[in-house]
Protein backbone atom coordinates (compact mmCIF):
# COMPACT_ATOMS: atom_id res chain seq x y z
CA UNK A 1 0.00 0.00 0.00
CA UNK A 2 2.73 2.33 1.10
CA UNK A 3 4.73 1.40 -1.93
CA UNK A 4 1.67 1.81 -4.14
CA UNK A 5 1.19 5.35 -2.84
CA UNK A 6 4.81 6.19 -3.41
CA UNK A 7 4.71 4.81 -6.91
CA UNK A 8 1.56 6.78 -7.64
CA UNK A 9 3.22 9.91 -6.30
CA UNK A 10 6.33 9.32 -8.36
CA UNK A 11 4.20 8.77 -11.43
CA UNK A 12 2.24 11.93 -10.80
CA UNK A 13 5.48 13.87 -10.35
CA UNK A 14 6.87 12.41 -13.53
CA UNK A 15 3.69 13.29 -15.41
CA UNK A 16 3.96 16.85 -14.13
CA UNK A 17 7.58 17.16 -15.17
CA UNK A 18 6.73 15.82 -18.60
CA UNK A 19 3.78 18.20 -18.94
CA UNK A 20 5.93 21.19 -18.00
CA UNK A 21 8.70 20.03 -20.33
CA UNK A 22 6.39 19.54 -23.29
CA UNK A 23 4.57 22.81 -22.72
CA UNK A 24 7.89 24.63 -22.62
CA UNK A 25 8.86 22.92 -25.87
CA UNK A 26 5.57 24.09 -27.37
CA UNK A 27 6.22 27.54 -25.94
CA UNK A 28 9.70 27.93 -27.37
CA UNK A 29 8.43 26.58 -30.69
CA UNK A 30 5.70 29.23 -30.74
CA UNK A 31 8.31 31.85 -29.89
CA UNK A 32 10.56 30.75 -32.71
CA UNK A 33 7.64 30.69 -35.16
CA UNK A 34 6.62 34.19 -34.15
CA UNK A 35 10.17 35.48 -34.50
CA UNK A 36 10.51 33.95 -37.95
CA UNK A 37 7.15 35.36 -39.06
CA UNK A 38 8.09 38.80 -37.71
CA UNK A 39 11.33 38.76 -39.64
CA UNK A 40 9.56 37.67 -42.85
CA UNK A 41 7.02 40.48 -42.46
CA UNK A 42 9.77 43.01 -41.72
CA UNK A 43 11.62 41.96 -44.88
CA UNK A 44 8.46 42.34 -46.97
CA UNK A 45 7.86 45.80 -45.52
CA UNK A 46 11.47 46.78 -46.18
CA UNK A 47 11.20 45.71 -49.82
CA UNK A 48 7.91 47.50 -50.19
CA UNK A 49 9.50 50.67 -48.80
CA UNK A 50 12.21 50.49 -51.47
CA UNK A 51 9.59 50.23 -54.23
CA UNK A 52 7.52 52.96 -52.65
CA UNK A 53 10.47 55.38 -52.49
CA UNK A 54 11.34 54.51 -56.11
CA UNK A 55 7.79 54.98 -57.42
CA UNK A 56 8.36 58.36 -59.11
CA UNK A 57 11.44 56.97 -60.81
CA UNK A 58 9.60 53.82 -61.92
CA UNK A 59 6.76 55.94 -63.32
CA UNK A 60 9.03 58.40 -65.15
CA UNK A 61 8.42 58.01 -68.91
CA UNK A 62 11.63 59.91 -69.75
CA UNK A 63 13.90 57.43 -68.00
CA UNK A 64 15.15 54.18 -69.52
CA UNK A 65 17.05 51.92 -67.15
CA UNK A 66 16.02 52.70 -63.56
CA UNK A 67 18.84 50.95 -61.71
CA UNK A 68 16.34 48.75 -59.89
CA UNK A 69 17.69 45.33 -60.72
CA UNK A 70 17.30 42.48 -58.24
CA UNK A 71 20.69 42.81 -56.57
CA UNK A 72 20.32 46.58 -56.05
CA UNK A 73 16.78 46.39 -54.66
CA UNK A 74 17.75 43.51 -52.40
CA UNK A 75 20.78 45.41 -51.06
CA UNK A 76 18.60 48.43 -50.25
CA UNK A 77 15.95 46.19 -48.72
CA UNK A 78 18.53 44.55 -46.47
CA UNK A 79 19.74 47.99 -45.38
CA UNK A 80 16.21 49.03 -44.36
CA UNK A 81 15.60 45.68 -42.69
CA UNK A 82 18.77 46.07 -40.69
CA UNK A 83 17.87 49.61 -39.75
CA UNK A 84 14.35 48.74 -38.56
CA UNK A 85 15.07 45.42 -36.84
CA UNK A 86 18.65 46.00 -35.68
CA UNK A 87 19.62 42.63 -37.17
CA UNK A 88 21.85 41.98 -40.16
CA UNK A 89 19.99 39.19 -41.98
CA UNK A 90 23.34 37.90 -43.29
CA UNK A 91 24.38 37.23 -39.69
CA UNK A 92 21.59 34.67 -39.21
CA UNK A 93 22.86 31.10 -39.67
CA UNK A 94 21.65 30.22 -43.20
CA UNK A 95 21.34 26.58 -42.15
CA UNK A 96 18.82 27.42 -39.40
CA UNK A 97 15.11 27.48 -40.20
CA UNK A 98 15.01 31.24 -39.57
CA UNK A 99 18.00 31.89 -41.82
CA UNK A 100 16.81 29.59 -44.56
CA UNK A 101 13.34 31.14 -44.76
CA UNK A 102 14.65 34.69 -44.65
CA UNK A 103 17.09 33.83 -47.42
CA UNK A 104 14.22 32.33 -49.42
CA UNK A 105 12.42 35.66 -49.15
CA UNK A 106 15.51 37.64 -50.13
CA UNK A 107 15.85 35.35 -53.12
CA UNK A 108 12.18 35.99 -53.96
CA UNK A 109 12.68 39.77 -53.84
CA UNK A 110 15.66 39.54 -56.17
CA UNK A 111 13.86 37.28 -58.64
CA UNK A 112 10.71 39.44 -58.75
CA UNK A 113 12.77 42.52 -59.57
CA UNK A 114 14.85 40.73 -62.19
CA UNK A 115 11.72 39.25 -63.80
CA UNK A 116 10.18 42.73 -64.12
CA UNK A 117 13.23 44.63 -65.41
CA UNK A 118 11.98 44.97 -68.99
CA UNK A 119 8.73 46.65 -68.07
CA UNK A 120 10.28 48.75 -65.29
CA UNK A 121 13.02 49.99 -67.63
CA UNK A 122 10.66 50.70 -70.54
CA UNK A 123 11.09 54.23 -71.82
CA UNK A 124 8.09 56.20 -73.06
CA UNK A 125 5.53 54.64 -70.70
CA UNK A 126 4.60 56.44 -67.49
CA UNK A 127 2.59 54.29 -65.14
CA UNK A 128 3.68 50.68 -65.53
CA UNK A 129 1.53 49.03 -62.90
CA UNK A 130 4.57 48.15 -60.78
CA UNK A 131 3.53 49.40 -57.33
CA UNK A 132 4.23 48.18 -53.77
CA UNK A 133 1.05 46.05 -53.66
CA UNK A 134 1.97 44.23 -56.86
CA UNK A 135 5.55 43.80 -55.64
CA UNK A 136 4.21 42.32 -52.35
CA UNK A 137 1.89 39.91 -54.14
CA UNK A 138 4.66 38.73 -56.48
CA UNK A 139 7.18 38.38 -53.63
CA UNK A 140 4.61 36.41 -51.61
CA UNK A 141 4.01 34.07 -54.54
CA UNK A 142 7.72 33.64 -55.28
CA UNK A 143 8.58 33.12 -51.62
CA UNK A 144 5.84 30.52 -51.11
CA UNK A 145 7.15 28.72 -54.17
CA UNK A 146 10.81 28.79 -53.08
CA UNK A 147 9.97 27.80 -49.48
CA UNK A 148 8.39 24.73 -51.04
CA UNK A 149 5.76 23.82 -48.46
CA UNK A 150 7.68 25.08 -45.43
CA UNK A 151 6.12 28.54 -45.39
CA UNK A 152 3.63 30.75 -47.20
CA UNK A 153 3.21 34.51 -47.18
CA UNK A 154 0.59 36.77 -48.72
CA UNK A 155 -1.06 40.12 -48.28
CA UNK A 156 -4.82 40.04 -48.13
CA UNK A 157 -7.50 42.58 -47.22
CA UNK A 158 -11.09 42.94 -45.97
CA UNK A 159 -13.29 41.37 -48.69
CA UNK A 160 -14.97 44.63 -49.72
CA UNK A 161 -11.53 46.14 -50.41
CA UNK A 162 -9.88 43.32 -52.30
CA UNK A 163 -8.84 44.38 -55.79
CA UNK A 164 -6.98 41.34 -57.01
CA UNK A 165 -8.94 38.10 -56.71
CA UNK A 166 -5.74 36.23 -55.91
CA UNK A 167 -5.54 38.19 -52.67
CA UNK A 168 -8.98 37.30 -51.32
CA UNK A 169 -8.87 36.22 -47.66
CA UNK A 170 -9.30 32.53 -46.84
CA UNK A 171 -11.71 31.36 -44.12
CA UNK A 172 -9.20 31.83 -41.27
CA UNK A 173 -8.12 35.29 -42.46
CA UNK A 174 -11.71 36.34 -43.06
CA UNK A 175 -12.76 35.31 -39.57
CA UNK A 176 -9.91 37.28 -37.99
CA UNK A 177 -10.59 40.35 -40.13
CA UNK A 178 -14.28 40.33 -39.19
CA UNK A 179 -14.21 39.27 -35.54
CA UNK A 180 -10.93 40.87 -34.46
CA UNK A 181 -9.34 43.50 -36.70
CA UNK A 182 -12.64 45.22 -37.56
CA UNK A 183 -14.12 44.80 -34.08
CA UNK A 184 -14.57 48.10 -32.24
CA UNK A 185 -11.78 48.58 -29.72
CA UNK A 186 -9.31 46.17 -31.33
CA UNK A 187 -5.85 47.53 -30.38
CA UNK A 188 -4.32 49.01 -33.55
CA UNK A 189 -1.50 46.90 -34.90
CA UNK A 190 -2.13 43.87 -32.69
CA UNK A 191 -1.65 40.67 -34.66
CA UNK A 192 -3.42 37.34 -34.20
CA UNK A 193 -1.81 33.94 -34.32
CA UNK A 194 -2.93 30.34 -34.18
CA UNK A 195 -1.37 26.90 -33.98
CA UNK A 196 -3.23 23.92 -35.29
CA UNK A 197 -2.51 20.33 -36.04
CA UNK A 198 -3.30 19.53 -39.63
CA UNK A 199 -2.94 15.88 -40.51
CA UNK A 200 -0.07 15.39 -38.05
CA UNK A 201 1.68 18.62 -39.03
CA UNK A 202 1.76 21.66 -36.78
CA UNK A 203 0.78 24.82 -38.65
CA UNK A 204 1.56 28.24 -37.24
CA UNK A 205 -0.37 31.15 -38.70
CA UNK A 206 -0.15 34.84 -38.01
CA UNK A 207 -2.14 37.77 -39.37
CA UNK A 208 -0.72 41.27 -39.06
CA UNK A 209 -3.10 44.20 -39.62
CA UNK A 210 -2.04 47.20 -41.72
CA UNK A 211 -3.73 50.57 -41.97
CA UNK A 212 -4.09 53.19 -44.67
CA UNK A 213 -1.73 56.14 -44.44
CA UNK A 214 -2.12 59.36 -46.45
CA UNK A 215 -0.22 58.11 -49.51
CA UNK A 216 -2.57 55.12 -49.92
CA UNK A 217 -5.62 57.30 -50.35
CA UNK A 218 -4.70 58.60 -53.81
CA UNK A 219 -5.83 55.14 -54.93
CA UNK A 220 -7.90 53.66 -52.10
CA UNK A 221 -9.56 56.92 -50.95
CA UNK A 222 -12.26 59.23 -52.31
CA UNK A 223 -14.27 59.93 -54.33
CA UNK A 224 -15.46 56.36 -53.97
CA UNK A 225 -15.99 54.66 -57.32
CA UNK A 226 -13.84 57.06 -59.29
CA UNK A 227 -11.10 55.30 -61.24
CA UNK A 228 -7.57 55.71 -59.86
CA UNK A 229 -4.31 55.75 -61.84
CA UNK A 230 -4.23 51.93 -61.82
CA UNK A 231 -7.69 51.63 -63.41
CA UNK A 232 -9.46 50.35 -60.28
CA UNK A 233 -12.40 52.17 -58.68
CA UNK A 234 -11.40 53.86 -55.44
CA UNK A 235 -12.80 52.31 -52.27
CA UNK A 236 -13.58 55.53 -50.39
CA UNK A 237 -11.35 54.48 -47.49
CA UNK A 238 -10.16 56.86 -44.78
CA UNK A 239 -6.89 57.47 -43.02
CA UNK A 240 -6.30 54.78 -40.37
CA UNK A 241 -8.84 52.28 -41.78
CA UNK A 242 -7.79 48.65 -41.88
CA UNK A 243 -6.29 48.40 -45.36
CA UNK A 244 -4.71 44.98 -45.45
CA UNK A 245 -3.34 42.00 -43.60
CA UNK A 246 0.05 40.34 -43.92
CA UNK A 247 -0.68 36.65 -43.53
CA UNK A 248 2.10 34.14 -42.87
CA UNK A 249 1.90 30.38 -42.49
CA UNK A 250 4.73 28.20 -41.19
CA UNK A 251 4.41 24.46 -41.60
CA UNK A 252 6.25 21.91 -39.50
C1 LIG B 1 -1.07 53.73 -57.14
C2 LIG B 1 -2.28 53.30 -56.51
C3 LIG B 1 -2.17 52.61 -55.17
C4 LIG B 1 -1.63 53.11 -54.02
C5 LIG B 1 -1.01 54.46 -53.79
C6 LIG B 1 -1.83 52.06 -53.03
N1 LIG B 1 -2.43 50.98 -53.57
FE1 LIG B 1 -3.03 49.30 -52.62
N2 LIG B 1 -3.46 48.42 -54.38
C7 LIG B 1 -3.46 49.06 -55.59
C8 LIG B 1 -3.69 48.08 -56.65
C9 LIG B 1 -3.75 48.35 -58.13
C10 LIG B 1 -3.82 46.82 -56.02
C11 LIG B 1 -3.99 45.47 -56.68
C12 LIG B 1 -2.60 44.90 -56.85
C13 LIG B 1 -2.56 43.53 -57.43
O1 LIG B 1 -2.89 43.38 -58.60
O2 LIG B 1 -2.19 42.60 -56.73
C14 LIG B 1 -3.66 47.10 -54.60
C15 LIG B 1 -3.73 46.12 -53.65
C16 LIG B 1 -3.61 46.34 -52.29
C17 LIG B 1 -3.69 45.31 -51.30
C18 LIG B 1 -3.84 43.80 -51.54
C19 LIG B 1 -5.23 43.32 -51.59
C20 LIG B 1 -5.93 43.69 -52.87
O3 LIG B 1 -6.75 44.61 -52.80
O4 LIG B 1 -5.69 43.07 -53.93
C21 LIG B 1 -3.53 45.94 -50.09
C22 LIG B 1 -3.55 45.28 -48.73
C23 LIG B 1 -3.34 47.34 -50.36
N3 LIG B 1 -3.39 47.56 -51.70
C24 LIG B 1 -3.10 48.28 -49.39
C25 LIG B 1 -2.55 49.52 -49.66
C26 LIG B 1 -1.95 50.37 -48.65
C27 LIG B 1 -1.95 50.08 -47.16
C28 LIG B 1 -1.44 51.45 -49.31
C29 LIG B 1 -0.64 52.59 -48.74
C30 LIG B 1 0.53 52.25 -47.96
C31 LIG B 1 -1.75 51.27 -50.73
N4 LIG B 1 -2.39 50.08 -50.88
C32 LIG B 1 -1.40 52.17 -51.72
C33 LIG B 1 -3.26 50.41 -55.80
C34 LIG B 1 -2.67 51.26 -54.88
Amino acid sequence: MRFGNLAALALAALAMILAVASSSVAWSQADEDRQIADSLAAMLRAGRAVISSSQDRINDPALGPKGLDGATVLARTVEIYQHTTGVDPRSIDPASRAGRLLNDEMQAIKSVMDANQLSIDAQGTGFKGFIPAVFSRLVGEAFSHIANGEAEMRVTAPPDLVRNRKSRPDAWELDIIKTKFLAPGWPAGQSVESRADQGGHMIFRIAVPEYYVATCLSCHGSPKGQTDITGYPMEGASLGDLGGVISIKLLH
Side-chain angles (χ1 to χ4, degrees):
M1 193 64 189
R2 259 184 93 82
F3 178 74
N5 276 346
L6 256 179
L9 209 73
L11 268 180
L14 188 68
M16 235 167 79
I17 289 167
L18 284 177
V20 169
S22 75
S23 78
S24 77
V25 166
W27 171 244
S28 62
Q29 187 66 69
D31 261 4
E32 193 205 25
D33 282 339
R34 190 177 312 112
Q35 270 171 23
I36 291 176
D38 282 352
S39 77
L40 295 174
M43 189 62 81
L44 183 69
R45 285 177 161 152
R48 214 166 47 181
V50 174
I51 302 308
S52 183
S53 66
S54 312
Q55 194 70 67
D56 288 347
R57 194 173 169 77
I58 294 173
N59 294 356
D60 188 343
L63 279 180
K66 312 287 189 299
L68 293 169
D69 58 281
T72 305
V73 168
L74 179 58
R76 282 201 226 159
T77 300
V78 165
E79 236 172 73
I80 295 177
Y81 177 94
Q82 199 169 345
H83 184 74
T84 51
T85 65
V87 176
D88 180 350
R90 289 156 300 197
S91 72
I92 305 172
D93 176 7
S96 68
R97 192 159 154 261
R100 191 171 59 241
L101 289 172
L102 202 55
N103 271 314
D104 286 349
E105 186 177 2
M106 287 157 66
Q107 204 48 51
I109 289 171
K110 188 169 177 296
S111 72
V112 164
M113 293 315 296
D114 285 338
N116 284 279
Q117 279 309 286
L118 271 182
S119 81
I120 290 171
D121 284 349
Q123 204 171 6
T125 334
F127 185 69
K128 303 164 184 72
F130 197 82
I131 58 171
V134 169
F135 167 82
S136 303
R137 175 167 54 76
L138 297 175
V139 167
E141 287 169 4
F143 167 74
S144 306
H145 180 73
I146 297 170
N148 194 20
E150 205 178 354
E152 289 170 23
M153 180 174 59
R154 64 202 297 261
V155 179
T156 182
D160 54 323
L161 297 181
V162 172
R163 291 183 163 202
N164 193 310
R165 291 169 58 84
K166 290 181 180 167
S167 302
R168 282 179 300 185
D170 68 16
W172 182 81
E173 293 156 344
L174 186 62
D175 179 57
I176 284 164
I177 288 170
K178 283 189 173 158
T179 65
K180 307 252 196 274
F181 295 159
L182 288 175
W186 183 259
Q190 186 167 308
S191 53
V192 175
E193 57 188 62
S194 87
R195 293 173 68 76
D197 193 316
Q198 217 173 73
H201 291 281
M202 190 54 82
I203 298 190
F204 173 86
R205 296 196 68 169
I206 187 164
V208 185
E210 300 204 293
Y211 305 89
Y212 288 127
V213 295
T215 53
C216 316
L217 299 180
S218 59
C219 293
H220 295 286
S222 297
K224 185 174 178 168
Q226 187 174 302
T227 308
D228 70 14
I229 184 179
T230 71
Y232 279 92
M234 297 207 269
E235 289 84 357
S238 307
L239 202 64
D241 285 356
L242 178 72
V245 174
I246 299 182
S247 176
I248 295 172
K249 218 190 251 190
L250 301 176
L251 303 100
H252 288 270

